[in-house]
Amino acid sequence: MLDFPRWKVASIWLTIAVLCALAIPSLIPQRITDQWGINLPRINLGLDLAGGSYLLLEADVNDVASNRLEAMREQVQTEMRRQDPRIEIGDISTRGGRLSFLLRDPSQVDAARERLLAITGGGVGMTGQREWDIQVVDSSRLVLTPTPAGLNQAVDTAMGDATEVVRRRIDELGTREPTIIRQGSNRIVVQVPGLQNPQALKDLLGKTAKLEFKLVDETATPQQLASKQAPAGSQVLAYPTNPSGIPLIAVKRSAIITGDQLSDARMEFSQQTNEPQVAITFDSQGGRKFARVTQENVNKPFAIILDNQVISAPNINEPITGGRAQISGSFTTESANALAIALRSGKLPVALKVVEESTVGPDLGAESIKAGILASAVAVALVVAFMLVTYGRFGVYANLAVVINVFVIVGVLALIGGTLTLPGIAGFVLTIGTAVDANVLINERIREERHRGRSVVQAVELGYSEASRTIFEANMTHAISGIIMFLLGSGPVKGFAVVLLIGIATSVFTAVLFTRMLTAGWLRRNKPKTINI
């Protein structure tokens, strides 16, 4: 009991000193710590405390289905046109949510079916259901129909990818501790503390950022454009800034290059006009492909398409090498920077729309913080008074452990970059209230041992050793509950669980190990014959 080596004492004090030092920046207003010029760890405040924006995004399932059809159309074209042997097909139709095409040579139907089986993949999940049903109609027409299982799998994959893209875009804004989680099968919850105007966030997240470069179909007539009936193999897209005055343009369906082959996108100012533009850099494969296509199509126009709308259709005057290009248009500095962020973070695999939004003001959070501080102060004061009256010197040690425990919890939260929410404050107050439970058990056991006639040292030794098992078991049950809440809960529940788990660990450290060290030091120095407890 009295054997506390110097290294052990030093390590305990060092741990407490470091964690208390880490807690200090979180207890000082950020406007003051920002003036220090040092990036110090501090607790981040959640949406309910710092204020901010809340968005609920919903994916368009029909958009996922149409994207799958378009991707499969390109795969079918590529697969049927490859050699050994080449299979000649007519135009591919995607009407009615199905993909169909006619074979020019009906004798190749079996070969075409085998190739379709290869590119449509195997089964979905444990059920083994196929993603596409393949049918032969009238001995020469092949029809691919997406299955419900395949569509559900595609939606799940698209939502997972969309969540990551949303997270990257918000991180580019420089926000602190955003909450981005999936809700249900086709929704994403976004909470951004500190952002009071959600419009810029809505504009950024609502942009699919699907970038494509396609050749312009110069054979399209004004009548075809007016009726939106493009020649075979082409499509009509909106072109609001068309110099000819016609807000429509025909482009080839197949993209010569896409935004997936970008390695970087930055806002810059044009050296000629000094207007904002977006400079894009292709990866090595994209750069080579872009150079080859522009070399083969000199003196022909190509369209730069963003989210199925043409923003520019320049002429290829010479091969564009070096893997760089510029997107110019009616940009402001803010819109050009937003587009660059969207392109850098990648395109959304599915269109998202805002179905619910709200803004939490900082005043409500400030009131919650004041209430939390008041509740914490009252809890500490009542605990301190109770322990002093009940246990005397041992109560002083327990009170010192409670005060240090408060700083240690704050320090650990700051160290891990944790986010404090209103339920987290509730967990904080609860932890303070129960922080002395261990000391109550220890002190009562010491009192019992003294009544049985044990010496002071024996009573203290047995009090700590025997009560430790009960303390461990009690805190394990609390920890299990906290772990379950952390793993299964989300948002406020998870915030409460984080503070609770940290509080359990720190309270055991301060209430058992720290107070035992103080008690051992007092006994070793004074060697009392009796104790008042």
Side-chain angles (χ1 to χ4, degrees):
M1 172 64 207
L2 298 179
D3 186 20
F4 254 84
R6 290 184 178 180
W7 67 265
K8 195 172 185 179
V9 174
S11 62
I12 293 173
W13 280 114
L14 179 62
T15 301
I16 292 174
V18 170
L19 292 176
C20 288
L22 290 173
I24 293 175
S26 299
L27 304 176
I28 300 175
Q30 189 169 357
R31 65 178 183 275
I32 296 177
T33 58
D34 289 343
Q35 298 175 358
W36 297 352
I38 306 174
N39 187 18
L40 298 172
R42 61 182 298 124
I43 295 177
N44 302 303
L45 299 181
L47 188 68
D48 50 0
L49 297 180
S53 298
Y54 165 89
L55 297 178
L56 179 61
L57 307 174
E58 186 177 74
D60 185 358
V61 177
N62 293 329
D63 185 55
V64 176
S66 62
N67 288 341
R68 289 185 77 220
L69 279 175
E70 184 63 26
M72 182 55 66
R73 184 188 67 81
E74 295 182 2
Q75 279 187 279
V76 169
Q77 282 184 329
T78 302
E79 185 66 19
M80 296 303 168
R81 289 174 180 174
R82 69 178 177 86
Q83 299 298 321
D84 69 265
R86 181 186 179 97
I87 299 177
E88 297 292 341
I89 63 174
D91 293 334
I92 300 178
S93 171
T94 56
R95 294 178 182 177
R98 301 186 304 173
L99 189 148
S100 64
F101 59 91
L102 187 67
L103 292 174
R104 301 192 188 279
D105 183 0
S107 66
Q108 293 181 309
V109 65
D110 290 335
R113 182 180 174 85
E114 288 299 322
R115 293 188 186 183
L116 291 179
L117 287 172
I119 64 176
T120 54
V124 178
M126 298 296 293
T127 63
Q129 298 178 357
R130 294 193 63 83
E131 297 185 26
W132 298 83
D133 284 333
I134 304 173
Q135 293 178 317
V136 179
V137 181
D138 298 332
S139 72
S140 61
R141 179 173 292 276
L142 287 164
V143 179
L144 279 76
T145 305
T147 64
L151 181 58
N152 292 338
Q153 177 67 27
V155 170
D156 184 69
T157 302
M159 289 302 298
D161 294 341
T163 303
E164 291 304 313
V165 172
V166 168
R167 180 174 286 108
R168 288 197 297 267
R169 291 186 183 182
I170 293 178
D171 288 343
E172 289 275 0
L173 293 175
T175 55
R176 296 172 63 90
E177 291 298 317
T179 300
I180 304 156
I181 56 175
R182 285 182 59 178
Q183 185 181 83
S185 61
N186 65 333
R187 289 187 170 186
I188 301 175
V189 174
V190 177
Q191 296 179 355
V192 186
L195 185 64
Q196 300 302 320
N197 181 11
Q199 187 58 47
L201 181 64
K202 288 167 58 180
D203 294 341
L204 180 62
L205 299 183
K207 190 184 296 294
T208 306
K210 181 182 179 182
L211 181 67
E212 297 174 299
F213 292 78
K214 295 182 177 181
L215 292 174
V216 175
D217 188 348
E218 299 179 279
T219 65
T221 64
Q223 292 76 17
Q224 288 177 317
L225 293 178
S227 62
K228 295 186 179 180
Q229 295 295 325
S234 299
Q235 61 183 146
V236 176
L237 297 178
Y239 186 11
T241 59
N242 193 343
S244 67
I246 303 175
L248 297 170
I249 190 172
V251 298
K252 299 291 185 180
R253 281 190 176 273
S254 298
I256 57 178
I257 198 169
T258 66
D260 295 334
Q261 294 168 307
L262 292 182
S263 62
D264 195 16
R266 301 286 171 183
M267 190 278 292
E268 63 178 25
F269 293 95
S270 171
Q271 296 181 353
Q272 286 76 28
T273 64
N274 202 34
E275 293 181 351
Q277 64 182 16
V278 179
I280 57 177
T281 304
F282 299 108
D283 58 23
S284 57
Q285 181 181 1
R288 288 193 300 269
K289 186 176 181 180
F290 192 58
R292 186 184 71 252
V293 171
T294 54
Q295 185 176 13
E296 295 173 351
N297 294 276
V298 173
N299 296 324
K300 294 181 181 179
F302 73 99
I304 302 175
I305 304 165
L306 182 66
D307 292 344
N308 289 323
Q309 180 172 296
V310 178
I311 59 176
S312 179
N315 199 62
I316 303 174
N317 297 321
E318 59 184 12
I320 303 175
T321 58
R324 284 179 55 85
Q326 286 78 34
I327 302 176
S328 58
S330 302
F331 289 126
T332 63
T333 302
E334 291 76 15
S335 63
N337 188 57
L339 175 58
I341 290 175
L343 293 177
R344 279 201 306 272
S345 60
K347 73 173 183 179
L348 283 170
V350 59
L352 299 174
K353 62 179 179 180
V354 179
V355 295
E356 185 180 336
E357 65 174 290
S358 62
T359 302
V360 180
D363 295 339
L364 179 62
E367 292 298 323
S368 300
I369 294 174
K370 290 180 182 178
I373 292 175
L374 178 61
S376 301
V378 171
V380 170
L382 292 177
V383 168
V384 166
F386 173 80
M387 295 301 291
L388 279 176
V389 172
T390 307
Y391 299 114
R393 172 181 290 276
F394 289 85
V396 172
Y397 294 158
N399 290 335
L400 184 58
V402 169
V403 174
I404 290 177
N405 187 50
V406 171
F407 284 92
V408 169
I409 292 175
V410 175
V412 173
L413 278 172
L415 182 63
I416 66 175
T419 299
L420 186 63
T421 60
L422 191 57
I425 291 180
F428 197 90
V429 175
L430 178 63
T431 300
I432 293 173
T434 59
V436 294
D437 281 355
N439 288 115
V440 171
L441 290 173
I442 292 169
N443 293 337
E444 288 299 324
R445 187 58 189 261
I446 292 174
R447 180 181 290 173
E448 290 178 6
E449 295 301 329
R450 286 292 293 162
H451 288 166
R452 293 174 181 173
R454 305 279 188 186
S455 66
V456 171
V457 174
Q458 288 177 331
V460 173
E461 175 72 31
L462 287 173
Y464 272 96
S465 61
E466 295 299 324
S468 294
R469 288 195 293 270
T470 305
I471 294 168
F472 176 77
E473 292 171 358
N475 282 284
M476 278 301 297
T477 58
H478 291 163
I480 291 171
S481 301
I483 291 172
I484 292 174
M485 286 189 291
F486 178 80
L487 294 177
L488 301 182
S490 62
V493 175
K494 183 170 288 190
F496 175 83
V498 169
V499 177
L500 180 64
L501 290 172
I502 293 175
I504 291 172
T506 58
S507 64
V508 171
F509 170 74
T510 55
V512 178
L513 188 61
F514 176 69
T515 59
R516 181 172 178 171
M517 180 189 70
L518 296 179
T519 303
W522 175 69
L523 291 176
R524 190 168 53 250
R525 289 189 306 270
N526 296 277
K527 298 180 175 58
K529 300 299 182 182
T530 185
I531 53 175
N532 182 19
I533 188 171

